[in-house]
Amino acid sequence: MARPPVAKLMDYGKFKYESALKARESRKNQAQTVIKEIKLRPKIDPHDYGTKKGHVERFLKAGDKVKVTIMFRGREQSRPELGFKLLQKLAADVEELGFVESTPKQDGRNMIMVIGPHKRKTEAMAGAKTERAPRSRASASQEERAQAERAHAEQAQAEHAQPEETQAEETQAEETQAEQAEAARAEESARAESAQAEEAQAASNAAAAQGTTRTSTARSASAARGATEASSQTDQDGTAETRSRREGSPAQSSVAEGSPARSG
């Protein structure tokens, strides 16, 4: 230890992150052996036995241990030799992949045997990777071939579809021209109708104005006629009154002349 002691400052969060990464990498390289379990019956069917044996072989190839359990029910408990024979048969069938790590033992109603793999977990993982590599290459080559075939088919389809597309474009252009011509005709007819409507409106306005003029003329004529008649009537009344005054004046004079005689 140095004197004085030497210390350095560090980022604790970064230190924890790097430690977690190292632990994760170390766990990747570690191989944990897992114990798989398979359950059988003493009177198992041959087909079912083949299926169970396939599972055991798959587990052993993966580098895992297999725990085989024989389940006894009812009167089967009095015949444990059936389960023992079945376990021995299974061990003999998978002896190329594994060995009997724990001999068959009676545990209550069950009989248990453990089979261990010949290969270690790491070796099994490495072998699986090497087996998957050619498969992945083959699948990649197949995908490339499929993609090339799809591209070729698409190109051929595009070349075949070009005349059809040209014809479709020409047809679409003709339809567009026809629609434009129809729209122009419709616009012209609309303009003609609007012009006719304007002419009709102007004619109706002129007729209305002429009718108004006639009505005002008639009213003025009737008013003038009424004024003339009123003036003539007034003149007649004045003439009659004048005449009556003229006719009544000699009588009055005669009465005036006779009044002294009466007084005398």
Side-chain angles (χ1 to χ4, degrees):
M1 182 175 180
R3 291 184 181 181
V6 179
K8 67 174 182 178
L9 298 177
M10 62 181 299
D11 188 352
Y12 185 66
K14 183 179 179 181
F15 172 73
K16 288 183 66 177
Y17 176 71
E18 291 178 352
S19 301
L21 286 180
K22 291 179 181 179
R24 190 181 305 169
E25 291 295 331
S26 63
R27 283 196 300 269
K28 284 184 179 179
N29 297 326
Q30 292 178 357
Q32 297 179 357
T33 303
V34 182
I35 298 178
K36 304 291 186 178
E37 185 176 5
I38 292 293
K39 293 184 178 181
L40 306 175
R41 293 290 304 278
K43 297 180 180 180
I44 188 171
D45 187 75
H47 179 72
D48 295 338
Y49 173 77
T51 303
K52 297 289 185 178
K53 186 182 71 173
H55 293 327
V56 173
E57 291 176 351
R58 178 164 53 87
F59 294 149
L60 294 174
K61 287 179 181 179
D64 297 325
K65 295 182 180 181
V66 181
K67 177 183 177 182
V68 186
T69 303
I70 304 295
M71 298 179 297
F72 297 97
R73 291 183 181 177
R75 296 182 181 179
E76 293 175 352
Q77 298 180 23
S78 62
R79 301 289 302 276
E81 64 275 7
L82 296 177
F84 186 78
K85 290 180 181 179
L86 183 60
L87 291 176
Q88 285 183 340
K89 179 182 178 182
L90 180 61
D93 291 338
V94 297
E95 62 181 356
E96 295 181 359
L97 300 174
F99 61 96
V100 178
E101 186 174 316
S102 176
T103 56
K105 292 184 297 184
Q106 187 76 23
D107 184 13
R109 294 185 178 182
N110 300 330
M111 184 175 289
I112 300 171
M113 181 182 67
V114 178
I115 301 175
H118 290 305
K119 294 182 180 180
R120 294 182 179 179
K121 187 72 172 179
T122 54
E123 296 176 357
M125 292 174 63
K129 288 182 180 179
T130 54
E131 288 179 359
R132 284 197 298 269
R135 293 178 183 176
S136 61
R137 292 175 184 174
S139 61
S141 61
Q142 289 178 359
E143 290 179 359
E144 291 177 357
R145 291 176 185 175
Q147 290 179 359
E149 291 177 357
R150 284 197 296 268
H152 182 68
E154 290 176 358
Q155 185 177 1
Q157 187 176 3
E159 292 177 356
H160 180 69
Q162 282 181 356
E164 296 181 356
E165 292 180 356
T166 305
Q167 187 177 1
E169 291 177 356
E170 293 177 356
T171 305
Q172 187 175 2
E174 293 177 357
E175 292 178 355
T176 304
Q177 292 178 359
E179 291 177 357
Q180 291 178 356
E182 187 176 357
R185 287 195 297 271
E187 187 176 359
E188 290 178 359
S189 62
R191 289 178 181 177
E193 291 178 357
S194 62
Q196 291 179 0
E198 290 177 358
E199 291 177 358
Q201 184 68 25
S204 63
N205 292 336
Q210 187 176 3
T212 303
T213 304
R214 290 178 180 177
T215 303
S216 60
T217 304
R219 287 179 181 176
S220 60
S222 62
R225 194 181 302 113
T228 304
E229 291 178 356
S231 61
S232 62
Q233 185 69 30
T234 303
D235 294 340
Q236 289 178 4
D237 292 342
T239 304
E241 185 177 357
T242 304
R243 289 178 180 177
S244 63
R245 287 179 181 177
R246 289 177 181 178
E247 289 177 359
S249 58
Q252 291 178 358
S253 62
S254 64
V255 172
E257 291 177 357
S259 57
R262 287 180 182 178
S263 61

